[in-house]
Amino acid sequence: MTTNTSPIGPKYGRIVLKLSGEVLAGPGGCGIDPDQAETIATKIKSVYDLGVQVGMVIGAGNLWRGARGVAQGMEQATADHMGMIATVMNGLALQDALERLGVPTRVQTALQMNQVAEPYIRLRAIRHMEKGRVVIIAGGTGNPYFTTDTAAALRAMEINADVIIKGTQVDGVYTDDPKRNPDATRFDRLTYSQAIEYRVRVMDLTAITLCMDNKMPLIVLNIWDDRSLYDAVLGHQVGTIIDAE
């Protein structure tokens, strides 16, 4: 594990970082841009260098959206399996970017793809993190009809994470879409029940309910802010915290 160089020290020793596939997209919002992957990898390295154990779950919206296939008449299970495979592509791109920064990384997947990634095994994932490796857990839950948000919540419980951090393009949860409504106000903190009542869109309800049932705190922040991820791991007020209080 990397030596902690921060005079304060991180509040969270083990995190699950949930990112959408769009964080890797190029200017057109599609595909994988190596420069974007490097930018995200640099942010992850900043918290890794604090000694934080990092697990990651990434979506695939930059490559494929199952909902679009279903809307065109595709079978839901087929569309969802295509999305799971796409998350592995994103995971490999992030692994490459992290390794080039000197961060040892393993990709595990809920789908059997042994030539490119390890199978997801809970205790192996924990052991990798204990040895100072970032673990990217791809392939969703391995089952159709479940989102990568739900996968992030499930994996966080399984690997005994201290918090889930959802990196988005907005700096928290608002009363309305801040891009369309300039009068929308941001919540500093919400309870799980409030998040469900307000039908918070940054995380699906199944994931929030799973967090509530297992008392797993969730932080929603803007991943593109220079220090948001770093400051959140240190315990500073960043974005919106969703928990039981």
Side-chain angles (χ1 to χ4, degrees):
M1 183 61 64
T2 303
T3 301
N4 182 355
T5 58
S6 168
I8 302 173
K11 177 179 179 179
Y12 305 106
R14 180 179 296 166
I15 69 170
V16 166
L17 175 62
K18 170 60 174 69
L19 297 174
S20 67
E22 284 84 353
V23 300
L24 299 180
C30 298
I32 297 173
D33 184 334
D35 289 336
Q36 294 288 80
E38 183 178 356
T39 298
I40 294 297
T42 300
K43 295 176 183 296
I44 295 166
K45 185 178 185 298
S46 73
V47 299
Y48 172 86
D49 286 343
L50 291 172
V52 175
Q53 297 178 11
V54 181
M56 292 182 58
V57 173
I58 189 164
N62 57 318
L63 300 175
W64 173 254
R65 285 198 174 276
R68 183 174 181 181
V70 171
Q72 297 295 318
M74 183 178 287
E75 186 71 31
Q76 173 95 44
T78 300
D80 287 352
H81 278 110
M82 290 172 63
M84 291 179 220
I85 293 169
T87 68
V88 179
M89 295 175 63
N90 282 339
L92 292 173
L94 269 178
Q95 179 188 35
D96 178 78
L98 284 163
E99 291 277 355
R100 284 188 283 112
L101 292 176
V103 179
T105 307
R106 297 292 184 271
V107 176
Q108 293 193 342
T109 174
L111 300 173
Q112 293 297 313
M113 301 181 69
N114 294 336
Q115 289 182 305
V116 296
E118 299 178 4
Y120 169 70
I121 299 174
R122 183 180 70 87
L123 292 178
R124 182 180 292 178
I126 292 172
R127 185 60 175 157
H128 279 318
M129 288 186 290
E130 290 174 343
K131 284 182 170 289
R133 299 164 185 148
V134 170
V135 179
I136 301 171
I137 306 172
T141 66
N143 300 289
Y145 300 98
F146 292 96
T147 68
T148 51
D149 282 346
T150 299
L154 175 63
R155 301 312 182 204
M157 315 308 169
E158 290 182 329
I159 65 174
N160 302 316
D162 297 317
V163 67
I164 300 172
I165 299 178
K166 174 71 181 284
T168 69
Q169 296 183 16
V170 292
D171 61 341
V173 179
Y174 281 76
T175 54
D176 197 3
D177 186 344
K179 294 181 179 180
R180 294 185 298 182
N181 182 359
D183 295 324
T185 57
R186 181 172 61 83
F187 296 102
D188 287 336
R189 185 179 295 269
L190 287 170
T191 65
Y192 303 115
S193 297
Q194 288 172 327
I196 293 171
E197 178 184 351
Y198 300 152
R199 300 189 71 82
V200 168
R201 295 180 181 179
V202 293
M203 204 83 168
D204 72 59
L205 295 182
T206 302
I208 293 174
T209 300
L210 188 57
C211 290
M212 179 173 66
D213 291 344
N214 293 275
K215 297 181 172 57
M216 175 64 65
L218 170 66
I219 300 174
V220 180
L221 52 74
N222 186 344
I223 194 63
W224 298 113
D225 285 347
D226 288 341
R227 289 179 55 94
S228 61
L229 179 61
Y230 185 88
D231 286 343
V233 167
L234 291 178
H236 300 164
Q237 174 61 52
V238 177
T240 301
I241 299 174
I242 302 174
D243 58 17
E245 296 181 5

